[in-house]
Structures are given as structure tokens and as C-alpha cells.
Amino acid sequence: MFDRTLADVGRRDWADDGDGGTARFATVGCGTYARDVSIPAMAAGEYAEPTVVVSGDAEKRAALTGEFGVTALDYDEFEAGVATDEYDAVYVATPNRLHLPHAETAAGHGKDVICEKPLEATVDRAESLVAACEDAGVRLMTAYRMQTDPVMRRLREFVAGGGIGELRRATGDFTFPVLAGDAGPEQWRLDGRLAGGGALFDVGVYPLNTARFLSGDDPVAVSATTRSPDPAFDEVEQHADARVEFDGWVGGFSGSYTGRPNTRLELLGADGRIAVRSAFEPDADREVVVETPEGTLEATGAGADETVEEFDYFAHATATGGAIDPDGRDGLVDVRTLAAALRSADAGERVEL
Amino acid sequence: MFDRTLADVGRRDWADDGDGGTARFATVGCGTYARDVSIPAMAAGEYAEPTVVVSGDAEKRAALTGEFGVTALDYDEFEAGVATDEYDAVYVATPNRLHLPHAETAAGHGKDVICEKPLEATVDRAESLVAACEDAGVRLMTAYRMQTDPVMRRLREFVAGGGIGELRRATGDFTFPVLAGDAGPEQWRLDGRLAGGGALFDVGVYPLNTARFLSGDDPVAVSATTRSPDPAFDEVEQHADARVEFDGWVGGFSGSYTGRPNTRLELLGADGRIAVRSAFEPDADREVVVETPEGTLEATGAGADETVEEFDYFAHATATGGAIDPDGRDGLVDVRTLAAALRSADAGERVEL
């Protein structure tokens, strides 16, 4: 049963304790999430270390230097190759449409790249980003933190071992009230050109990518509908509902930019069911219910901070030459799927991938 | 908060204790569900009474007469008007495509009709059924037992009162392993002509109709995909996933004819969330979670047997001349929606309603 798997929930299946060296990170783009979540996660990690930040904002640079003891660069200095001996890898956390030039710069410096999701604002640009890293011979990870969440990794093993039988259906929702924080309607997430998409691109990608991770499958077709009743969302979708067809099962994934915060993921198999609440919030206690013919397990509070895991995972791979699961290709599949979903919503037609 | 509403969960908002007379039912079609659930529910009811059964099977007729003391007729006798003074209303529980002729017979006898869902196998036939009852001046109820489930009625009041804010999304699943019981692959539910559809028609209609009931809204467009990997389901859909668009919100509803039994319904509002597990099984303890800005309530085991409620509700309306909410028009909306969903699945296109 799953409780045997879950008993070992904190296990890092990708590393042996203490092996490998560390990787030092330059963080490019220092928005709220990078400052409050990602850089502290690097600092907390075993293999990761934040050493450089890149920001266009002098105040942010000073504050981050004060808080983390990092070298702070502006974008011109980053492009010019200042302080390249102070970092081994680059974390790209800018608005989506700026991922490509910064990843190109990082690749030009010969640095491995971990890039926020979605990989870019358009399929063409995401493909260029992947190609730039491949051409330069640097590693590329798409920053899917759910793939390093210990609970999700244990669930993946459980699904792969036939714990719920053949997968039949996955559903997942992510409501992120994007205007509820400090950032107002001028933020880049509401700028269609910079973001590439709205709630589907930014948060709907979580249930999509996590279901792909848990199943090991890729989409074959998609159909979607979007709505933006509020004027603040005239450039990006405020609400999106996508139905994604896989070989043998169907996913129903939604993203919303307004409403009560809510995240959920559920997998229905021929023989069992997995339901996860608080599925996608950073460092949340995932509430997991696993039903199988052998019985039902409810578990909560298990696991570790998946963002610490994320940067440690990438740093470990960078330092040891290990493989990266959520690579550029993985990120590309989602950008293609999400872009096709938005085309589908416009056309009212199912789009094959 | 919802706990105040739920404290009163058993309340019959459609009757005052002891008002009205009773209605005597002729049950037409005596399959497993009618014998094991519906007729016992009539017998258990305050206003309903089973007095007549109609079956083509002499053994069933004898057994039901022995068990419930009912008069048993064959179909010719029912059509010929035998024993019409022994019943006030007709419960049609035959295969879907036979609903129309039996409802016509009942209407011809001047009897009110409660007809199983879906109303008929095709839109045209369902429209004819509604017209036949209207022309004869008899009442018609579509047998949506969830609409008389006390938990669902309290939830409807809570939603209508703004308990979770503006509705944004509803999702629901119903997996009913149709071959797991006594009935093999020869059963009518797998016969495309008799059934009109498969898992979507037969069980997917539950989350669809219940979400419509809770919201008070009707669909404006639908998009769906279906799969029938197993040869037993070559005439009807084995699995179906439908996305149903309403004015301002979207529903994602699924039905499956194979797999682990599973029912679920969830409503996401701008300010709250309602989740119901064991949502659609007959007389199950609904597990309800209600989240609002005021707090979270988890409730289980509340309520009454909604099938007893269903026949009492209809009997009370028949005896007192009261209105019927899940009327023929309500049933028609679902048949139109489900038929459009199957067309959508064939065409790969969104279909407007």
C-alpha cells in the first residue's frame, strides 16, 4: 500500500547524502517570487547557493546583497559577462517573454540554465530557448517544482507501480488571485505580449505538468475555453478550462486568476484514486487521499519544501553531471499544449498535437 | 454559515407534515434498480404507495406481487388500461428508448408520469414525450433523485444565498461499473439504439443535472470527448468527458462505465468551495466540505434517502397539485446537452445549444 511508500516520503531518489559538490546560482529577474521563495530556497539547500543576482532595480540589488551577501549586477553587466566566475548556473525568473534572451546570455557564458515555467511566451521562442542551450552544450531545466516535491515523487512511483491501475482521468484546478498581492493591474502577468497567456499559462500549467509527471504521458490533443469577464484581463485569459487528451486517458485542467485560492489534483485509475488538496502552493502540506482495493490512506503534512528540493536537484545535477527530468523538452511540451489550448478556445475546435 | 443550513438538513421544503393525500404508483419496467431501489422507496414513503407493476416477465410479476402486494400486469394489459383505477401515477423505468411509448400510454390513461433519466434516447423522442404529457394535461417529472436529496437541496439554498459567491466552475465524475453486477454485456445499457448513449447519458447526467440544479443555470455550449477501448462498448461510450459552458461558469463532467466506483461533485465560487464525495450513489452518506471566508465545515452522514424523497415529492405534487421542479423541460435540457456532447465528440468541435 501507499503508506509503505509514504513512510519514506522525504527520500531523495536523485542523490546520495553528501555526494557531489555545490552549484552557485545567478538569479536573473528578482520579482516577489524569486526574492521570497527561490533565493531563500537556494540559501537553504544542501547543494545550491545563491551568489549573484541580476536586477534592473538598484534598491532590490542593495537589499538582496544585504540579505544574502550576493553580488548584484544590472542587466548590462550580466550580458557583458561580469562576475561569471562567481556562478555556475543561471536561474531565469523574468517575465516569460524575456526568458529567451537571458537564457541565450547564460548559455553564451557556458552556464547551465534553470528557467521558470512556462518556458517562454510563444512556442517559437521556447523552441529557440531550448536550441540555444543545446547548441551551447549547457543543461536546461524547466523550473517545475512539483516534480521535486517528495509527495509527488512518491505518488509517481506508486502510479508507475500500478497502485491505482490504468490511468483513466486526471482533473486539477489552480486558482491564484493574481491581483490580491502587492502587484496591481500593471504587472507583467496581465500583459499579453510579455506573458504569452494568462491563468492557463501561469497556473493551469501546474495540474497539466504534474499530471504528465505522475503518468509519464504526453498530450495528443487539446480543447479549451477561456473567459475574461473583468476588464483587467483584456489581454490574458482570466479563467481557462482545458481538456487534454492522452493515449488512454483524459485530463481536465483549469486555471483562474481571480477567486478564492484553491489547488487540487485528482487521478482516477481503473482500480483506485489519488486526490491531493493544497496540491500546488509553495511548501504547503499536501493533503493526500489514496484509495486502492486494499484500503484508503489519508496523509497530510508529509514531505519537504519542494522549492529547496528543486534547486538542490538542479544544483546536484549540474555539479555531478546527472540527468534532469524536467528538461527543456518537458517544458516545450507544455508550451505547445497551452498555446494549442488557446488556439482551440479561439476556434471552438479540438486541436491535435 | 452552512452549518446553520445543514442543521436543518432533513427539512422537506416542499411539504408540510401530513398535508395532501397519497399517490399510488404503477411501475413500468421492473429491472434491478426499480425492484431494489424505487419500489421499496415508494413503499417506505409517506405520500407514495406502490400498487401496480408492469413487466414482461412472469417470474418478476409473481415475485413483486409476493413482496409488495401489488397488482402485476404485462405490457398488453397496461396498454389496454387494465387496473387504471388502482394507480394515480406511472413510473417509467424501462430502457431509455421505450420511455416514449409508455409515457404516451400513461398520459392516455390520464396518469401523471415520473420518467427515469435520461428522458429518452434521442432529442426528438424526448420532445415527443414532453409534448404527449402536455397535450394530455398530465404532470411529468424527470426522475432526478439528486434534486430531492436533502443535502443537495440545502446546498442549493446555500449557493443561491451567495454562500460561495459567484459560481466559477463545477466539476463532477461518476464511474459506474456497469458490467460488475448481474447484468452481462447483453444488457440494454450497452445497446446503442435502446440506450441512446452510454456512460455520458446514463451517469454523466448526474453531475450535469446536479450542477444545473445547484446553480439554477442552463448550458449554452458543450464540447466533449469519448472513448470505448473495450469491445463490449462498441455501441455506446465507455468513458466520456464533457465541458459544458454556462453563462459565467464552466462545468467539467465525466462518466465512466468501467473502473472503480466513484462519484464526486465540486463547485468553485469566487469566495468559496463546495465538495461532495459519495455524491450520487443511492442513499449514500454524502461527504460534504464547504469552505467560505467564514471557515470550513465538514459534514457527513446527513440527510435522508433521496429516492424515498423523490417518490414522496412527486406523489405529494400529484396529490396536491403542487409544482414539479425536475419537470420534462428540465429533462429535455439534459438530453439536448448530452446529444450535443456526443455530436461534439464526433466532430471535434464545440457545439452551441
Side-chain angles (χ1 to χ4, degrees), chain A:
Chain A
M1 251 298 275
F2 184 66
D3 50 358
R4 288 194 297 274
T5 308
L6 202 67
D8 197 19
V9 66
R11 173 168 56 90
R12 287 181 158 180
D13 51 75
W14 45 266
D16 296 316
D17 273 351
D19 64 348
T22 59
R24 299 164 302 159
F25 284 83
T27 296
V28 179
C30 297
T32 308
Y33 185 82
R35 295 196 312 274
D36 293 352
V37 180
S38 302
I39 297 173
M42 295 171 195
E46 180 182 350
Y47 300 109
E49 191 186 346
T51 52
V52 173
V53 296
V54 181
S55 172
D57 182 328
E59 276 185 41
K60 280 186 193 173
R61 291 197 300 268
L64 287 164
T65 295
E67 189 173 1
F68 295 100
V70 292
T71 298
L73 310 177
D74 64 24
Y75 284 101
D76 288 340
E77 291 170 325
F78 172 61
E79 276 179 52
V82 174
T84 48
D85 58 342
E86 295 183 32
Y87 59 93
D88 309 300
V90 172
Y91 168 53
V92 179
T94 58
N96 300 337
R97 203 185 181 84
L98 303 175
H99 290 178
L100 173 58
H102 297 314
E104 285 174 335
T105 299
H109 296 336
K111 307 296 183 184
D112 286 354
V113 177
I114 174 169
C115 181
E116 268 303 336
K117 38 55 53 185
L119 211 42
E120 247 286 354
T122 69
V123 173
D124 283 352
R125 294 178 66 88
E127 286 171 346
S128 299
L129 192 159
V130 172
C133 291
E134 282 177 357
D135 291 349
V138 301
R139 281 190 167 69
L140 171 62
M141 172 168 164
T142 312
Y144 290 125
R145 59 187 168 79
M146 304 322 301
Q147 295 200 27
T148 54
D149 185 293
V151 173
M152 295 299 178
R153 294 185 78 84
R154 297 297 85 77
L155 288 172
R156 184 179 66 156
E157 293 165 6
F158 189 70
V159 170
I164 59 169
E166 212 172 88
L167 191 59
R168 293 286 168 75
R169 181 168 288 119
T171 56
D173 304 302
F174 196 155
T175 298
F176 169 61
V178 72
L179 295 172
D182 295 336
E186 297 305 309
Q187 64 182 295
W188 69 264
R189 281 187 170 79
L190 277 58
D191 180 320
R193 188 175 167 279
L194 276 178
L200 186 65
F201 259 58
D202 193 40
V203 292
V205 71
Y206 279 84
L208 166 62
N209 184 266
T210 308
R212 288 183 50 225
F213 174 67
L214 293 176
S215 66
D217 293 333
D218 282 348
V220 295
V222 63
S223 155
T225 182
T226 62
R227 297 159 284 147
S228 294
D230 296 347
F233 302 92
D234 60 345
E235 293 187 17
V236 298
E237 70 281 2
Q238 181 178 354
H239 305 286
D241 291 77
R243 186 175 60 239
V244 184
E245 296 171 45
F246 295 80
D247 184 17
W249 62 280
V250 172
F253 307 122
S254 81
S256 281
Y257 259 166
T258 59
R260 180 184 174 81
N262 178 63
T263 73
R264 181 184 73 85
L265 184 67
E266 185 158 343
L267 270 62
L268 295 179
D271 307 321
R273 182 177 79 91
I274 293 171
V276 186
R277 290 207 52 84
S278 300
F280 307 125
E281 290 90 343
D283 196 23
D285 284 349
R286 318 275 170 235
E287 299 161 47
V288 181
V289 176
V290 177
E291 287 179 10
T292 74
E294 295 176 53
T296 298
L297 173 82
E298 302 196 21
T300 188
D305 183 332
E306 80 283 353
T307 311
V308 175
E309 296 292 298
E310 171 193 349
F311 287 101
D312 259 359
Y313 172 91
F314 179 70
H316 181 265
T318 287
T320 63
I324 290 171
D325 273 343
D327 58 8
R329 185 204 139 277
D330 191 24
L332 257 185
V333 169
D334 291 326
V335 175
R336 287 179 179 134
T337 305
L338 299 172
L342 295 185
R343 288 205 308 280
S344 161
D346 280 344
E349 287 182 0
R350 174 179 178 270
V351 174
E352 296 195 357
L353 293 162

Side-chain angles (χ1 to χ4, degrees), chain B residues 40 62 85 118 128 142 151 187 210 216 227 231 236 243 269 292 325 329:
Chain B
D85 58 342
S128 298
T142 312
V151 173
Q187 64 183 293
T210 308
R227 299 158 283 146
V236 297
R243 185 175 60 240
T292 74
D325 272 343
R329 185 202 141 275

